[in-house]
Amino acid sequence: MKTASPTLVFALLIALAYTLGTCAHLRAISRPDAVSADGAFKKLLGDGRRLFAGQFVEMADVYLHSGFYPSIFDRRDAKAPKAVTGKTEDNDDYAHEGHQHDAEGKCLTAENHSSHKHDAEGKCVHHDDHQDEHEKAMDFMRTPNNWLEGFIRRFRITKHTHLENGEEREVLPWLKLAIELDPQAIETYTATAFWLRKNLGNVKEAEAVLREGMRNNPKSFEILFELGKLQKESHQNPVKAQHIWEAALSLWNKQTAEAKTASLKSYSELTINLARLAVDAGNSQRAIQYFELAKMASPRPEAIQQQIDEIQSKIGGPTTNSLPNFFPAP
Amino acid sequence: MNTIWALAGVVIKELYRRKDFYVLFVLSALITVAAASVNFFDDTKIVRYVKDICLLLIWLSTLIVAVVTTARQIPAEKENRTIFPLLAKPVSRAQIILGKFLGCWLASGLALLVFYAFFIIITGSKEQQWHLVAYLKAMGLQWMMLGVVIAMTLLGSVLFSAVSSNATICLVAVGGILFIGEHLNKIALRQAEPLKSITSTLYFCIPHLELFDVRKQLVNNQALPGFFDCGLASLYAAAYVAALLYATWLLFRRKSLST
């Protein structure tokens, strides 16, 4: 009997394996209970991949600081917010030097208004308190203890800087990987969208990221809030922004009591921005109603009351303070 | 000196005859090209992660090449019994050590040149910037660091009988220095005596290989140390190389060569 060539046998085995593989794949995807294709990380690491997501966010933060970053051996506050994710709160802080801002970063009240600068569009440009906090967190390089430490430091990055002039794009690969690893980390979506939209002007990709975030986290009012900001600021579409923020507020209301208490900041941001939209639309009644809601969640209700008083004085006399029945108070 | 060069030449020939370097280079190149081809948000200007990955692979590959090549030099000569005809010639044991060191160091330098040429082409074409002086400085510093690693491994090859144990111990020691060497003094400050003094002594005694690691500056386009500082770092490395080679010679000169 003539023996077959080993090369031919090998080729036959390869062809057989390929044919079986493709047949099995086609059968698997045609099954009614077939799940959608997962990413490489999920296939390789399973749910354990979430453990690494934080490392990638930290890597993005390292890049944002151009390599100037404390190691695990340096004294640092592990819970301190990262600049790469904390930046998303620029201009719309909860209680910023005694007053609040809308989504555009404009002061909501006249309080402390003269104590800081504003840009041409009226947005606050003072963030000294945040910068001080961040500078303090990044002041990990003490005076060298000995000559060797001093010598090694000559070969290290010793200046605290942040990426600018479009170089912020370098943090995006790590944020993208963090999203792949932990699709339930809402902060990563909002941070990625912020950098894409605000610093790189890539609104299309920012919107895609937020929509992907909504697909993976359908109950996230934080992502909806960012999506509303994108509609208002980038697409100049206040009507769509209003609908999205109202949907976000509705999602916020569906939470448990404990979750509501933990996310009062989001409630305040949503109601303030909805109030601002109502002011712009000339709907003073609705604006006051939203400000009333915001007042309940605000750490400085007197500042918001001042805003309400201003609107009331403009429309001449007090109006009904009844709250919209579709958004109960927190 | 001719004897030392002749011995070094044999080591260099060995590097390009063996497959270690080629495998590591092809693997590094494939991973780097795959990483560079990934599209993030349709932004083609994103490049730093590619530099980071490529430099990490260069560091790993050259460390493996240097340690594995050096670790087998003296044990292989003993095992193949080629050490006896070698010593029968007018070659001293000190010359063997110097020749082996020089050969391994030059071979690592050649490997570094090939790796950095690839790195410069890949990142330069993507970034459209050519920081040649910075790359040369980084490569020079890494080559000096490899000199210390090679001297350390050569000492290990006299101390340990098996090539595998020497290579493993050296790689673990180098990895340990690179990761925590710089922070030993901070760790020492948090310890109680006598651990504090021991850690502190260790901090001053070990060769600080992490000093030569300027990858962060290269990746983030930050200024590298000046030529004067690089010169001082080279002197620092040369001092450790001299001390380690002297220790190797002290152990090797009276060591029995029969296996």
Side-chain angles (χ1 to χ4, degrees):
Chain A
M1 192 179 159
K2 200 177 174 183
T3 28
S5 154
T7 322
L8 284 175
V9 171
F10 181 68
L12 178 73
L13 287 171
I14 291 283
L16 198 66
Y18 181 77
T19 312
L20 283 172
T22 46
C23 284
H25 180 67
L26 285 173
R27 280 176 67 86
I29 56 171
S30 62
R31 279 172 57 173
D33 59 339
V35 288
S36 60
D38 292 318
F41 286 117
K42 192 169 183 184
K43 281 178 181 159
L44 280 170
L45 304 167
D47 278 346
R49 71 195 189 282
R50 289 174 210 276
L51 295 169
F52 300 98
Q55 289 301 313
F56 283 108
V57 174
E58 186 157 314
M59 198 67 186
D61 209 28
V62 174
Y63 271 45
L64 185 69
H65 289 96
S66 295
F68 179 81
Y69 211 72
S71 71
I72 54 165
F73 299 100
D74 293 300
R75 285 177 190 277
R76 63 166 176 170
D77 181 7
K79 287 178 183 171
K82 291 180 174 63
V84 75
T85 48
K87 268 268 181 188
T88 55
E89 289 172 8
D90 265 10
N91 290 335
D92 51 298
D93 300 294
Y94 190 45
H96 190 83
E97 283 194 5
H99 64 271
Q100 292 184 309
H101 306 107
D102 64 5
E104 291 173 327
K106 291 174 184 167
C107 294
L108 279 174
T109 66
E111 191 183 355
N112 290 339
H113 191 81
S114 56
S115 66
H116 56 272
K117 292 174 185 173
H118 299 85
D119 65 11
E121 294 171 352
K123 293 176 186 175
C124 295
V125 290
H126 70 116
H127 300 293
D128 294 344
D129 47 348
H130 298 278
Q131 279 173 359
D132 288 349
E133 197 183 328
H134 181 59
E135 287 290 340
K136 201 176 162 189
M138 292 301 286
D139 184 26
F140 60 91
M141 246 180 210
R142 311 277 179 223
T143 318
N145 287 324
N146 50 63
W147 65 270
L148 190 54
E149 199 179 334
F151 183 55
I152 292 171
R153 201 165 289 181
R154 291 187 192 191
F155 296 80
R156 295 286 167 266
I157 299 166
T158 51
K159 206 173 164 191
H160 180 197
T161 55
H162 286 182
L163 290 179
E164 51 189 12
N165 302 327
E167 285 192 330
E168 298 93 332
R169 61 169 54 86
E170 301 292 350
V171 306
L172 295 173
W174 303 109
L175 292 176
K176 175 79 179 167
L177 286 171
I179 287 174
E180 288 274 326
L181 289 167
D182 189 359
Q184 269 68 53
I186 288 156
E187 205 179 31
T188 320
Y189 292 102
T190 53
T192 310
F194 171 84
W195 291 109
L196 278 165
R197 185 171 64 92
K198 287 266 186 175
N199 292 70
L200 304 167
N202 195 343
V203 180
K204 191 182 150 202
E205 289 291 339
E207 194 171 347
V209 166
L210 291 173
R211 290 198 184 280
E212 186 192 338
M214 276 315 292
R215 276 194 297 277
N216 292 325
N217 308 277
K219 291 178 183 173
S220 170
F221 48 86
E222 296 96 332
I223 295 176
L224 276 183
F225 178 62
E226 281 297 317
L227 207 53
K229 275 163 81 174
L230 182 141
Q231 288 296 338
K232 186 171 185 279
E233 293 171 29
S234 304
H235 291 321
Q236 311 293 330
N237 191 341
V239 178
K240 209 167 180 180
Q242 185 195 336
H243 291 154
I244 291 171
W245 282 337
E246 280 172 356
L249 209 51
S250 171
L251 282 177
W252 186 91
N253 272 312
K254 284 177 187 165
Q255 296 182 107
T256 59
E258 294 82 32
K260 279 182 181 176
T261 315
S263 59
L264 275 178
K265 178 186 173 181
S266 299
Y267 185 86
S268 179
E269 281 174 339
L270 281 165
T271 45
I272 283 174
N273 283 290
L274 279 166
R276 196 76 201 173
L277 279 182
V279 169
D280 291 346
N283 192 342
S284 304
Q285 185 75 28
R286 177 56 62 90
I288 291 169
Q289 286 168 344
Y290 277 124
F291 275 130
E292 288 288 351
L293 287 173
K295 201 169 76 174
M296 292 178 195
S298 172
R300 291 186 62 83
E302 64 276 14
I304 295 178
Q305 183 56 51
Q306 201 179 336
Q307 187 78 358
I308 294 168
D309 294 342
E310 276 175 30
I311 298 171
Q312 281 175 339
S313 66
K314 273 182 199 167
I315 59 172
T319 58
T320 172
N321 279 345
S322 63
L323 304 173
N325 54 11
F326 47 88
F327 293 135
Chain B
M1 195 65 198
N2 282 342
T3 316
I4 295 168
W5 279 110
L7 283 164
V10 174
V11 179
I12 294 167
K13 277 178 194 152
E14 191 193 316
L15 175 83
Y16 65 74
R17 278 179 192 152
R18 290 184 67 94
K19 293 186 182 71
D20 312 16
F21 167 73
Y22 304 111
V23 170
L24 286 168
F25 178 71
V26 170
L27 206 62
S28 303
L30 277 176
I31 295 171
T32 307
V33 170
S37 63
V38 179
N39 176 17
F40 289 104
F41 304 110
D42 277 335
D43 196 329
T44 51
K45 289 180 184 168
I46 299 172
V47 68
R48 291 188 186 178
Y49 78 99
V50 180
K51 288 164 84 174
D52 211 345
I53 292 169
C54 190
L55 282 170
L56 175 71
L57 291 169
I58 290 174
W59 268 73
L60 282 174
S61 301
T62 49
L63 263 177
I64 291 169
V65 165
V67 170
V68 172
T69 308
T70 313
R72 64 170 164 246
Q73 289 305 316
I74 292 172
E77 294 274 13
K78 277 159 69 178
E79 201 173 309
N80 300 332
R81 298 190 166 274
T82 47
I83 191 98
F84 298 112
L86 188 65
L87 285 170
K89 290 172 184 168
V91 177
S92 67
R93 291 194 181 197
Q95 282 174 321
I96 289 178
I97 288 166
L98 284 175
K100 294 290 183 191
F101 169 78
L102 191 65
C104 292
W105 193 46
L106 289 174
S108 304
L110 283 174
L112 260 185
L113 264 179
V114 176
F115 273 109
Y116 268 85
F118 170 74
F119 170 74
I120 291 167
I121 292 166
I122 282 283
T123 56
S125 57
K126 210 165 158 60
E127 202 176 24
Q128 297 298 318
Q129 286 175 350
W130 306 87
H131 311 281
L132 290 176
V133 179
Y135 294 149
L136 274 175
K137 272 187 193 174
M139 196 178 75
L141 285 169
Q142 195 179 343
W143 194 34
M144 294 310 292
M145 187 278 299
L146 286 175
V148 182
V149 172
I150 288 164
M152 204 190 285
T153 314
L154 215 51
L155 175 64
S157 68
V158 179
L159 282 171
F160 308 108
S161 52
V163 177
S164 55
S165 56
N166 180 27
T168 310
I169 290 167
C170 283
L171 283 172
V172 168
V174 169
I177 293 172
L178 286 172
F179 279 112
I180 60 163
E182 188 179 348
H183 308 288
L184 277 175
N185 63 332
K186 292 172 206 161
I187 297 168
L189 288 173
R190 294 171 205 170
Q191 307 296 323
E193 291 292 358
L195 213 57
K196 186 179 179 179
S197 301
I198 294 168
T199 316
S200 202
T201 310
L202 198 65
Y203 171 73
F204 282 103
C205 288
I206 58 164
H208 283 274
L209 302 175
E210 76 283 356
L211 181 96
F212 304 90
D213 183 3
V214 287
R215 281 180 296 150
K216 268 188 182 174
Q217 286 94 318
L218 279 192
V219 169
N220 296 292
N221 294 340
Q222 297 282 309
L224 261 75
F227 282 105
F228 179 72
D229 287 329
C230 290
L232 281 178
S234 302
L235 278 177
Y236 176 82
Y240 272 98
V241 167
L244 287 164
L245 289 180
Y246 185 70
T248 310
W249 175 72
L250 283 178
L251 287 169
F252 189 57
R253 65 179 177 156
R254 301 216 182 276
K255 196 171 175 77
S256 164
L257 297 173
S258 55
T259 50

